[in-house]
C-alpha cells in the first residue's frame, strides 16, 4: 500500500493524474484503493470517477453517510440537482436516523427540487434522532403548516424549547388558532414561567 501511494504521488506531482487513475483502476477494488481513487479523482476534477468510487465504497463497505454526502455534494457543485436528488433517494432506505448530515442534505435537496414529501420525511428522521436544531424544526413546521397545523404547532413548541426564540411561540399559537385548538394552546402557555411570559410579552408579535 505504501508503494502504491508513493507511485500515485509521483504521478500526481508530475502532473499526470490520469495515469495515476489508470493505475488505481487496475488494482483489486479494496476499500483503500477505492478511497484513494475517490480522493485523487476529486482533487483533479474527475468528478464522475470520484462519485462512482464513493458509491462503490458505500455499496460494498457502507452505509456511510460521509461517502454519500460527499458524492451528492460533487453533483451539487456542478449544478446537478436532479442527480444529487436521485443519489440521496437511492441511499435513503439504508441510512439510520443518526446520520444527521445525510438527512439534512436530503431535506435541503428535496426542498430545492420541489419534493415536499421527501423533505418532510427527512426532517422527520432528524426530529426522531432527538438532535434536531431549531432551524430544522421550523423548516419542518413550515412544510407541514397547510396540511397539518397541529403538527406544525407541536414542532414550533420543540423549536421554542431548543432556543427559546419568541417567533416559535408566535407561530405555534397561530397554528393552534387556525384550527381553534385552544386546549393545547392553553396547556402550553401554562408551562411558561413568569420570566418567559414577561419576555414574550415584550415581543411585538406576541
Amino acid at each position: 500500500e505504501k508503494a502504491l501511494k508513493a507511485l500515485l504521488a509521483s504521478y500526481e506531482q508530475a502532473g499526470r493524474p490520469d495515469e495515476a487513475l489508470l493505475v488505481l483502476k487496475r488494482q483489486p477494488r479494496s476499500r483503500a484503493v477505492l478511497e484513494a481513487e475517490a480522493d485523487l479523482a476529486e482533487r483533479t476534477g474527475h468528478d464522475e470517477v470520484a462519485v462512482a468510487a464513493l458509491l462503490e465504497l458505500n455499496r460494498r463497505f457502507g452505509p456511510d453517510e460521509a461517502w454519500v454526502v460527499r458524492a451528492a455534494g460533487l453533483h451539487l457543485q456542478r449544478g446537478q440537482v436532479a442527480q444529487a436528488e436521485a443519489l440521496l433517494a437511492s441511499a435513503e432506505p439504508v441510512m439510520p436516523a443518526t446520520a444527521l448530515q445525510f438527512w439534512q442534505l436530503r431535506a435541503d435537496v428535496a426542498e430545492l427540487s420541489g419534493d415536499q414529501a421527501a423533505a418532510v420525511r427527512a426532517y422527520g428522521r432528524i426530529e426522531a434522532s432527538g438532535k434536531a436544531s431549531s432551524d430544522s424544526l421550523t423548516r419542518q413546521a413550515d412544510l407541514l403548516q397547510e396540511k397539518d397545523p397541529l403538527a406544525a404547532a407541536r414542532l414550533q413548541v420543540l423549536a421554542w424549547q431548543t432556543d427559546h426564540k419568541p417567533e416559535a411561540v408566535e407561530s405555534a399559537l397561530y397554528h393552534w388558532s387556525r384550527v381553534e385548538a385552544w386546549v393545547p394552546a392553553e396547556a402550553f402557555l401554562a408551562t411558561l414561567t413568569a420570566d418567559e411570559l414577561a419576555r414574550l410579552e415584550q415581543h411585538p408579535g406576541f
Side-chain angles (χ1 to χ4, degrees):
E1 188 176 326
K2 288 183 180 179
L4 178 61
K5 286 183 178 179
L7 179 60
L8 296 174
S10 67
Y11 274 122
E12 193 172 359
Q13 289 166 6
R16 296 156 61 189
D18 290 353
E19 292 179 49
L21 287 171
L22 284 174
V23 169
L24 285 168
K25 287 290 185 187
R26 298 189 188 107
Q27 302 300 311
R29 308 299 281 169
S30 67
R31 176 170 178 161
V33 167
L34 288 167
E35 287 177 335
E37 184 174 282
D39 291 345
L40 177 60
E42 185 174 357
R43 282 199 308 272
T44 56
H46 294 78
D47 290 353
E48 296 89 347
V49 176
V51 167
L54 289 165
L55 293 183
E56 187 173 348
L57 277 165
N58 195 61
R59 185 171 62 253
R60 294 179 54 198
F61 304 104
D64 187 316
E65 66 173 325
W67 291 327
V68 176
V69 166
R70 189 172 154 197
L74 288 170
H75 280 310
L76 292 172
Q77 286 174 18
R78 302 176 70 179
Q80 299 171 337
V81 177
Q83 289 92 326
E85 166 80 4
L87 188 158
L88 292 166
S90 67
E92 183 175 335
V94 298
M95 283 294 166
T98 53
L100 296 182
Q101 190 179 11
F102 169 84
W103 290 111
Q104 187 61 61
L105 186 60
R106 179 73 179 109
D108 291 342
V109 174
E111 284 194 79
L112 191 62
S113 61
D115 190 344
Q116 183 170 329
V120 168
R121 191 166 60 247
Y123 282 125
R125 297 299 294 272
I126 296 171
E127 182 196 351
S129 74
K131 297 180 179 179
S133 66
S134 174
D135 180 62
S136 174
L137 292 163
T138 298
R139 288 171 69 179
Q140 185 182 0
D142 289 344
L143 289 169
L144 287 171
Q145 62 183 342
E146 294 304 323
K147 184 177 180 180
D148 193 344
L150 291 176
R154 178 184 62 79
L155 290 163
Q156 292 290 6
V157 169
L158 291 175
W160 157 258
Q161 292 169 347
T162 301
D163 61 10
H164 288 80
K165 288 184 179 178
E167 292 82 3
V169 174
E170 294 166 11
S171 294
L173 293 172
Y174 168 70
H175 294 314
W176 280 320
S177 70
R178 286 175 57 207
V179 291
E180 299 184 353
W182 309 121
V183 172
E186 291 171 0
F188 166 70
L189 291 172
T191 67
L192 299 174
T193 66
D195 287 344
E196 288 171 338
L197 275 172
R199 187 158 63 88
L200 286 168
E201 286 168 354
Q202 294 175 4
H203 202 263
F206 183 70

